[in-house]
Amino acid sequence: MKLKKQVTVCGAAIFCVAVFSLYLMLDRVQHDPTRHQSGGNFPRDCQFALGGKGQSPDLQMLAVYSLLPFDNQDGGVWKQGFDITYEPNEWDAEPLQVFVVPHSHNDPGWIKTFDKYYYDQTQHILNSMVLKMQEDPRRRFIWSEISFFSKWWDNISAQKRAAVRRLVGNGQLEMVTGGWVMPDEANSHYFAMIDQLIEGHQWLEKNIGVTPRSGWAVDPFGHSSTMPYLLKRSNLTGMLIQRVHYAIKKHFAATQNLEFMWRQTWDPDASTDIFCHMMPFYSYDVPHTCGPDPKICCQFDFKRLPGGRINCPWKVPPRAITDANVAERAQLLLDQYRKKSKLYRSKVLLVPLGDDFRYDKPQEWDAQFLNYQRIFDFLNSRPNLHVQAQFGTLSDYFDALYKKMGIVPGMKPPGFPVLSGDFFSYADREDHYWTGYYTSRPFYKSLDRVLEAHLRGAEILYSLALAHARRAGADGRYPLSDYSLLSNARHNLGLFQHHDAITGTAKEAVAVDYGVRLLHSLTNLKRVIINAAHYLVLGDKDAYRHDPAAPFLSTDDTRPSQDSLPERTVVKLDTLPRFLVVFNPLEQERLSIVPVLVDSPHVRVLSEEGQPLPSQLSAHWGSATDVVPDVYQVSVLARLPALGLRVLQLHKSFNGHATLKSSVRLYLHGRDLPVRKQEAVPVHVFPATADDFCLENQHLQACFSGHSGLLQSIRRAGEEREQRVSSEFLVYGTRTSKDKSGAYLFLPDGEAKPYAPKDPPVVRVTEGPLFSEVTSYYQHVQTMVRLYNVPGVEGLSLDVSCLVDIRDHINKELALRFSTDIESDDAFFTDLNGFQIQPRRYQRKLPLQANFYPMPAMAYIQDMQSRLTLHTAQALGVSSLGSGQLEVILDRRLMQDDNRGLGQGLKDNKRTCNRFRLLLERRATANKVQDGRPISFPSLLSHITSMHLNAEALVMAVAQEKMAPPALRSFMPLSTTLPCDFHILNLRMLQAEQDDSLPSAEAALILHRKGFDCSLEAKNLGFNCTTSQGKLALGSLFQGLELGSLQPTSLTLMYPLGTASNSTNIRLDPMEIATFRIRLG
């Protein structure tokens, strides 16, 4: 091993300490690193992660995976199952009760855009529904996507609306799940999942006066255990899922475990249990829902009658039901019903009847409903058949089942199993694992999270500004109409959670349509944030005037088009000081480096009181070797109040000592490249390769390869041993056979090969007192690792980003792998929806692609000594293919369709920035018993690191340059520090009764208490918070505002929980999410 050149970040450590001491005194914050440390001080809050109170479930998915052979044997007519037999007299004592549930699966964008689908198909489906359901009261229909339903509602007459309310009221039409969309469950983040559920539920309550009772998810590509939790907390009592690995379906069918109580892994008292029905066969279409034999079931899809546009691929067409053939036809269908029923524990049977965009013509309604009714009439008139068949809704089925079992909805039926875990990853046949879509179109997966962070920030700031304005009687001058911008952004973010949107599995033109919507809302939310910030920082609120044509603040960045990366705003400095307003969307105060681009190297940064703040000047690079002329980055160390706005001043200053400069070393590795520099920031060019080198701050030391510029090891302060953490880029190809990777599937041609660019990288090392970084420029990826020299959270992890551009690749996927000497064996951990952690195991018996899982927020590996967590700011696919490894797929470019209906490859790659944090923690009290349990939690530090990555501070400059602005004051909304484990998921105004473009007096406050693991050592975290056994005094939380009322409600505000009491003290159990209807003013 080459000797490493030690490079300390500051010329002298003494100098650093002096700067910080000075700074911390100036900032008037007594920062005492000994107080409020997690670890030993939280004993009562540490019991939760140890778990062990609740009884263990009958079915634990991690164990089921270990048990199954995954041998894919041919099962006969039910190819992926087995032959089902029954005795004809089995139903003599208790007849079979069959519910046929007509449905139409409407994708809010896939092959066509949302609007095109609506105009071509969805509006006709809903129009015929109103007409055809009224023809016979025995008819039933279910609908799930409120995004489509609300658009249709806006376009229909009052008469038609009344008819719809009647159909819902008499139980003919059921709204199932009731979300804005049927969301993807792999890449979606829990904020957005809840938000789209609230949007749908609020819409239903307001317009139809109905609350959904049952969940319906037939198309998401694998299922997350976060969904049953959210549905249960929204007061739903049953749910249905469909896309589960065929081997698991077969196993559950063989053991009659297709219906179960789904329980959270961390639930100590069964309070999260919800009844779940898993469909047994390949698909939700008619051939795969009446029973095990698709050749027979297809004959009972009466849209496929001869002469139509679609037929049965099994070559036997349906026949219209007549008096002459009804006996034979009914008998054939009943045989399928009976066989399917043998897979379940009860004598009640669910038979869905529908497919994508079905029932769009009156003729189809007639064909299905009239022919089925003839079959039902025949079956029901023959007592010797012991069957009762009818149309039903999903809840009709669940209600009949509960009634048979003698229980009320929501209770556990006797003898049914309890299951915990999730249903990733999904394969529908052979080794076709749907693990590619965890990364497909990462540009939009990233934009999704940027919009989400802005929506949360805008909701909270708007709610606070409005409450303060109302309290001051100034709401007449406040732009209340910003509420419709918030509403529109909720809808666009909600739409993008759809299982063909965030997944990256829609046509190119549809992806553009989603992108345009996301960008439109992002731009609007920046306006909402600026308007709220303007009001809140004004010293004299009476001076507030909203001028839409001239916003008071300018945005932090702009995006020229939906597929471009953001371009940061440059602040122009002149003789007058420029003022900045920095918004911290976190509910905890943070000590952060705030980066600002300016047009002069002569800059001083002061607090609002005029005290100098530590800042570092660096160049702004346009490429590996070119500095952007006349643009400089000044990075300021600032303490930002929780959910607050901090005012800073920028002065043009020719006093050389004001700002600490970075120094840059540029290694060209023998490449003959011209370098463009600026004299203000020294750049030293080295034509040859560097030795290995290290950067360090007070918490850790990171060492890099001189040749590649990539990370090699991390050593934590006070520890002798370095931890090997080496990073490398890899490339996966795809198969040469007929089945190749596409938007959905990952079908690699074997293990990844090292990424081999044609030129060695240009490596740039920047060092300075506040941060240092290493940037390596390769042909298809430029990667940056940054170390902040800041006490507390920001300095405890490495900031890693990858700018990826693989537009010249053909059938390749680019991966980033970290290799360590952590003895993780085959275990690793990934999050589900940013809400909870699911332990995983690398299964050698499964192909490589089966071992990839979604990573919306984080993944980690650990042994008895250490845990290494990769935090991410966008959802990507992740795996650990060997002990001590963690790898993530950054982007994929695939030239062909993978035969799942899309009809396109993935060729519209963009330049994409993937952002990460790498956190190495010491495990203090690990034990084998605990590690063997199927439950794990991040540490508090890990949670807060994730929040820092996902909720960046927004820097907005006061727009007017030529005159001094009015007096501005920092805004600190919270009067006390929130407990460390509490997260304000959202604070959103509810809409007014009469006018849905305006806010009412009430808001929804959604809190999440995070579960955390105390066994990770936590020294010098610099937290100012403690934990409080889940107790929180809400009444005194918001400074200068009174809590007028506080009503605990179900998650989506549909049901009050308990009575509204005068007490504003609340208590939450770990992991719980709770919603409160509040009045602030």
Side-chain angles (χ1 to χ4, degrees):
M1 190 172 130
K2 280 192 235 155
L3 274 172
K4 297 186 172 149
K5 190 161 128 229
Q6 292 295 335
V7 183
T8 47
V9 172
C10 313
I14 308 296
F15 167 68
C16 269
V17 173
V19 169
F20 284 122
S21 319
L22 172 72
Y23 165 62
L24 291 168
M25 281 178 344
L26 290 174
D27 210 30
R28 305 192 319 273
V29 172
Q30 261 57 66
H31 183 75
D32 170 7
T34 56
R35 68 177 179 150
H36 301 335
Q37 291 310 309
S38 77
N41 289 9
F42 298 161
R44 285 173 59 191
D45 291 313
C46 291
Q47 288 309 306
F48 177 73
L50 304 172
K53 282 210 292 279
Q55 65 221 89
S56 52
D58 308 293
L59 301 166
Q60 206 280 311
M61 287 311 298
L62 204 56
V64 171
Y65 257 81
S66 301
L67 185 80
L68 295 187
F70 292 96
D71 52 359
N72 192 25
Q73 292 180 2
D74 190 329
V77 292
W78 174 19
K79 249 195 132 25
Q80 297 168 326
F82 45 84
D83 278 332
I84 307 171
T85 55
Y86 61 86
E87 301 298 324
N89 60 356
E90 281 190 46
W91 290 273
D92 289 5
E94 197 184 347
L96 182 63
Q97 209 179 347
V98 181
F99 288 92
V100 172
V101 180
H103 68 100
S104 177
H105 180 69
N106 283 239
D107 289 307
W110 181 37
I111 304 302
K112 304 178 186 177
T113 63
F114 173 78
D115 285 337
K116 188 102 173 69
Y117 270 139
Y118 174 78
Y119 290 116
D120 291 357
Q121 281 146 296
T122 307
Q123 63 168 338
H124 305 302
I125 296 168
L126 291 167
N127 285 332
S128 346
M129 185 262 305
V130 178
L131 208 61
K132 288 292 172 181
M133 295 283 279
Q134 294 183 90
E135 289 180 6
D136 186 337
R138 295 172 297 184
R139 293 180 178 181
R140 298 286 183 274
F141 196 62
I142 60 171
W143 188 267
S144 92
E145 300 80 12
I146 303 305
S147 48
F148 274 130
F149 202 87
S150 64
K151 185 178 175 74
W152 173 67
W153 188 264
D154 290 343
N155 288 303
I156 60 173
S157 65
Q159 257 163 311
K160 224 178 224 183
R161 289 179 180 183
V164 171
R165 289 192 189 105
R166 275 198 305 276
L167 290 170
V168 170
N170 69 17
Q172 280 186 268
L173 170 64
E174 183 185 13
M175 303 311 250
V176 285
T177 311
W180 201 245
V181 297
M182 183 186 290
D184 170 43
E185 300 182 21
N187 302 293
S188 51
H189 190 261
Y190 77 123
F191 173 96
M193 291 170 84
I194 292 170
D195 209 63
Q196 65 86 32
L197 204 55
I198 291 177
E199 275 314 284
H201 285 187
Q202 292 286 302
W203 188 92
L204 283 172
E205 184 178 54
K206 188 166 187 264
N207 293 284
I208 304 183
V210 62
T211 56
R213 297 174 46 207
S214 304
W216 172 263
V218 289
D219 205 23
F221 324 140
H223 292 279
S224 162
S225 47
T226 304
M227 207 64 200
Y229 176 74
L230 300 181
L231 297 181
K232 171 76 173 187
R233 290 290 176 256
S234 304
N235 263 20
L236 278 75
T237 50
M239 62 181 293
L240 171 147
I241 60 177
Q242 148 62 21
R243 289 193 186 268
V244 171
H245 194 299
Y246 61 86
I248 292 174
K249 286 189 175 223
K250 176 181 175 174
H251 175 65
F252 280 11
T255 51
Q256 286 192 327
N257 284 333
L258 289 164
E259 289 182 322
F260 48 85
M261 297 304 283
W262 198 345
R263 179 178 301 169
Q264 298 304 306
T265 50
W266 40 265
D267 174 9
D269 59 7
S271 75
T272 61
D273 288 19
I274 183 171
F275 186 80
C276 180
H277 171 102
M278 182 190 292
M279 290 168 59
F281 306 124
Y282 172 76
S283 164
Y284 56 82
D285 62 8
V286 184
H288 296 94
T289 44
C290 91
D293 190 345
K295 180 177 179 177
I296 292 174
C297 291
C298 195
Q299 299 171 46
F300 295 90
D301 181 356
F302 296 103
K303 187 189 170 89
R304 303 183 196 236
L305 283 165
R309 276 193 307 188
I310 54 167
N311 54 20
C312 284
W314 296 268
K315 305 289 192 295
V316 186
R319 303 209 297 272
I321 305 300
T322 62
D323 289 345
N325 70 10
V326 67
E328 176 265 327
R329 298 271 87 192
Q331 198 67 55
L332 188 62
L333 185 57
L334 178 58
D335 176 61
Q336 290 296 307
Y337 287 171
R338 284 173 170 173
K339 283 175 175 162
K340 181 175 181 179
S341 134
K342 289 288 287 177
L343 307 178
Y344 292 89
R345 291 176 187 238
S346 86
K347 297 282 202 289
V348 187
L349 181 67
L350 172 65
V351 181
L353 180 70
D355 203 341
D356 293 8
F357 293 97
R358 283 299 188 90
Y359 300 99
D360 61 341
K361 295 195 171 57
Q363 300 87 301
E364 186 186 348
W365 285 85
D366 292 342
Q368 303 283 31
F369 280 90
L370 295 172
N371 282 300
Y372 267 96
Q373 194 61 57
R374 288 178 194 126
I375 295 172
F376 297 162
D377 291 344
F378 176 84
L379 291 173
N380 298 342
S381 65
R382 300 286 187 284
N384 60 321
L385 294 178
H386 301 287
V387 60
Q388 168 76 41
Q390 62 207 23
F391 293 117
T393 62
L394 184 56
S395 291
D396 287 340
Y397 167 73
F398 283 137
D399 287 343
L401 180 90
Y402 298 138
K403 193 174 170 187
K404 258 241 157 108
M405 294 287 151
I407 54 163
V408 298
M411 272 177 65
K412 176 181 181 302
F416 279 61
V418 173
L419 175 144
S420 75
D422 70 333
F423 297 100
F424 291 119
S425 286
Y426 169 61
D428 57 347
R429 51 184 148 99
E430 291 144 25
D431 57 356
H432 292 192
Y433 283 85
W434 298 44
T435 50
Y437 82 95
Y438 302 156
T439 291
S440 297
R441 296 200 170 110
F443 179 89
Y444 295 107
K445 285 175 162 65
S446 172
L447 183 55
D448 161 79
R449 291 279 275 276
V450 172
L451 180 63
E452 173 177 299
H454 277 76
L455 177 58
R456 179 179 167 275
E459 296 272 20
I460 293 171
L461 220 47
Y462 176 84
S463 300
L464 292 171
L466 188 55
H468 281 281
R470 281 174 170 166
R471 194 172 168 88
D475 46 331
R477 286 176 293 144
Y478 193 81
L480 295 180
S481 58
D482 277 1
Y483 189 75
S484 62
L485 301 181
L486 284 172
S487 199
N488 173 261
R490 293 168 183 173
H491 294 164
N492 283 335
L493 181 68
L495 186 70
F496 196 68
Q497 303 315 303
H498 162 55
H499 57 262
D500 292 302
I502 192 170
T503 52
T505 58
K507 290 256 194 218
E508 286 178 19
V510 179
V512 170
D513 182 64
Y514 289 132
V516 167
R517 290 168 183 269
L518 295 175
L519 178 59
H520 172 74
S521 288
L522 183 60
T523 310
N524 283 342
L525 291 174
K526 286 188 187 287
R527 271 180 46 201
V528 175
I529 289 170
I530 284 168
N531 291 338
H534 176 194
Y535 181 80
L536 291 169
V537 296
L538 270 188
D540 175 12
K541 303 282 190 253
D542 294 339
Y544 178 78
R545 292 291 176 275
H546 169 63
D547 179 359
F552 181 69
L553 301 167
S554 59
T555 57
D556 53 329
D557 60 25
T558 52
R559 293 178 184 244
S561 69
Q562 57 88 22
D563 59 355
S564 46
L565 289 168
E567 295 172 8
R568 290 166 57 200
T569 307
V570 180
V571 179
K572 295 185 170 53
L573 298 179
D574 210 349
T575 45
L576 282 170
R578 292 294 306 270
F579 286 83
L580 300 177
V581 175
V582 184
F583 173 41
N584 170 22
L586 291 188
E587 57 280 283
Q588 296 295 345
E589 175 187 87
R590 73 207 266 186
L591 181 60
S592 282
I593 301 282
V594 177
V596 189
L597 292 185
V598 291
D599 66 348
S600 161
H602 308 293
V603 58
R604 242 167 21 114
V605 187
L606 308 178
S607 68
E608 69 188 291
E609 301 84 7
Q611 303 283 9
L613 294 176
S615 53
Q616 171 176 331
L617 188 76
S618 41
H620 185 55
W621 294 83
S623 72
T625 53
D626 286 351
V627 163
V628 179
D630 305 321
V631 178
Y632 302 85
Q633 175 165 303
V634 59
S635 304
V636 193
L637 182 61
R639 198 173 278 288
L640 306 175
L643 292 176
L645 299 158
R646 174 95 195 252
V647 177
L648 304 175
Q649 325 179 26
L650 293 180
H651 288 252
K652 200 160 188 175
S653 155
F654 292 91
N655 165 3
H657 301 297
T659 302
L660 309 158
K661 290 188 178 172
S662 321
S663 66
V664 176
R665 302 198 306 280
L666 198 58
Y667 298 99
L668 300 180
H669 287 150
R671 291 166 67 182
D672 184 21
L673 297 167
V675 177
R676 188 159 72 184
K677 325 192 236 185
Q678 289 177 333
E679 64 233 41
V681 180
V683 174
H684 306 287
V685 179
F686 298 86
T689 298
D691 294 332
D692 291 358
F693 60 93
C694 301
L695 301 173
E696 64 180 20
N697 66 12
Q698 65 205 80
H699 300 297
L700 42 97
Q701 176 192 62
C703 297
F704 299 83
S705 148
H707 177 71
S708 69
L710 299 179
L711 183 66
Q712 296 295 330
S713 68
I714 300 175
R715 187 170 64 81
R716 290 158 38 101
E719 289 182 11
E720 295 296 301
R721 210 174 64 94
E722 324 180 303
Q723 178 76 60
R724 181 170 76 93
V725 182
S726 63
S727 58
E728 60 185 318
F729 291 103
L730 302 162
V731 175
Y732 284 97
T734 190
R735 302 187 175 173
T736 47
S737 66
K738 65 174 186 359
D739 295 315
K740 291 183 168 60
S741 299
Y744 302 90
L745 306 183
F746 180 32
L747 295 170
D749 59 353
E751 294 189 5
K753 300 177 180 53
Y755 167 63
K758 59 178 197 291
D759 296 309
V762 170
V763 176
R764 185 174 69 237
V765 183
T766 303
E767 292 180 69
L770 299 185
F771 74 88
S772 297
E773 67 184 25
V774 181
T775 311
S776 311
Y777 287 82
Y778 290 91
Q779 189 185 344
H780 302 97
V781 56
Q782 85 186 47
T783 178
M784 184 219 55
V785 179
R786 182 180 291 164
L787 190 56
Y788 292 107
N789 199 26
V790 177
V793 180
E794 295 281 25
L796 285 159
S797 58
L798 292 175
D799 193 332
V800 180
S801 62
C802 297
L803 184 59
V804 178
D805 183 354
I806 57 167
R807 287 176 294 186
D808 62 350
H809 274 171
I810 289 179
N811 276 330
K812 299 262 190 295
E813 316 200 15
L814 185 68
L816 169 61
R817 178 183 292 168
F818 295 96
S819 302
T820 72
D821 33 31
I822 291 173
E823 294 169 9
S824 58
D825 297 333
D826 57 1
F828 60 110
F829 302 80
T830 66
D831 75 291
L832 289 168
N833 316 101
F835 172 62
Q836 58 184 328
I837 299 293
Q838 178 64 48
R840 306 288 182 195
R841 202 162 280 133
Y842 174 75
Q843 299 283 357
R844 278 180 194 78
K845 63 188 170 190
L846 294 180
L848 182 145
Q849 65 270 20
N851 287 291
F852 275 81
Y853 291 94
M855 176 182 63
M858 69 177 82
Y860 53 84
I861 52 173
Q862 63 186 24
D863 59 17
M864 304 305 276
Q865 278 74 46
S866 314
R867 176 184 289 181
L868 180 74
T869 307
L870 180 67
H871 289 277
T872 178
Q874 59 286 310
L876 296 167
V878 74
S879 189
S880 171
L881 300 176
S883 185
Q885 289 184 7
L886 205 50
E887 73 177 78
V888 53
I889 309 276
L890 298 173
D891 199 2
R892 43 206 318 260
R893 183 171 174 85
L894 301 160
M895 311 317 283
Q896 62 285 315
D897 179 51
D898 50 8
N899 300 308
R900 293 304 183 276
L902 178 61
Q904 273 184 357
L906 282 179
K907 301 188 239 183
D908 56 350
N909 304 70
K910 326 277 179 222
R911 287 179 71 236
T912 300
C913 186
N914 291 314
R915 296 173 42 243
F916 308 100
R917 282 281 175 96
L918 198 59
L919 174 65
L920 178 65
E921 295 175 286
R922 224 191 125 65
R923 297 186 77 202
T925 55
N927 63 65
K928 274 280 193 292
V929 177
Q930 194 186 334
D931 284 3
R933 297 178 57 247
I935 175 169
S936 186
F937 298 94
S939 65
L940 270 179
L941 172 61
S942 189
H943 279 305
I944 294 179
T945 301
S946 180
M947 310 273 270
H948 277 230
L949 175 61
N950 281 284
E952 292 187 298
L954 289 182
V955 186
M956 301 163 286
V958 174
Q960 52 197 47
E961 301 168 36
K962 297 295 174 248
M963 39 190 279
L968 305 179
R969 279 210 294 271
S970 292
F971 168 66
M972 301 182 189
L974 303 185
S975 48
T976 52
T977 303
L978 220 61
C980 296
D981 53 349
F982 270 76
H983 173 45
I984 297 180
L985 194 59
N986 209 346
L987 172 63
R988 49 179 270 165
M989 298 304 300
L990 299 173
Q991 55 177 232
E993 282 298 312
Q994 307 75 29
D995 184 350
D996 55 18
S997 67
L998 291 175
S1000 71
E1002 292 186 314
L1005 173 65
I1006 309 176
L1007 298 176
H1008 176 205
R1009 183 179 170 203
K1010 304 202 162 192
F1012 62 93
D1013 182 344
C1014 300
S1015 73
L1016 292 116
E1017 221 166 73
K1019 291 197 190 97
N1020 309 323
L1021 298 185
F1023 293 174
N1024 280 335
C1025 55
T1026 61
T1027 60
S1028 58
Q1029 285 86 52
K1031 296 201 263 297
L1032 177 61
L1034 280 178
S1036 53
L1037 185 61
F1038 297 102
Q1039 193 157 342
L1041 293 173
E1042 277 168 34
L1043 196 57
S1045 63
L1046 173 75
Q1047 169 67 61
T1049 69
S1050 60
L1051 183 63
T1052 58
L1053 300 111
M1054 305 289 266
Y1055 300 88
L1057 303 177
T1059 50
S1061 71
N1062 292 337
S1063 165
T1064 53
N1065 297 333
I1066 60 150
R1067 195 184 160 280
L1068 252 63
D1069 283 326
M1071 290 304 294
E1072 293 292 356
I1073 302 174
T1075 302
F1076 302 88
R1077 194 185 282 271
I1078 67 169
R1079 216 175 265 257
L1080 272 182

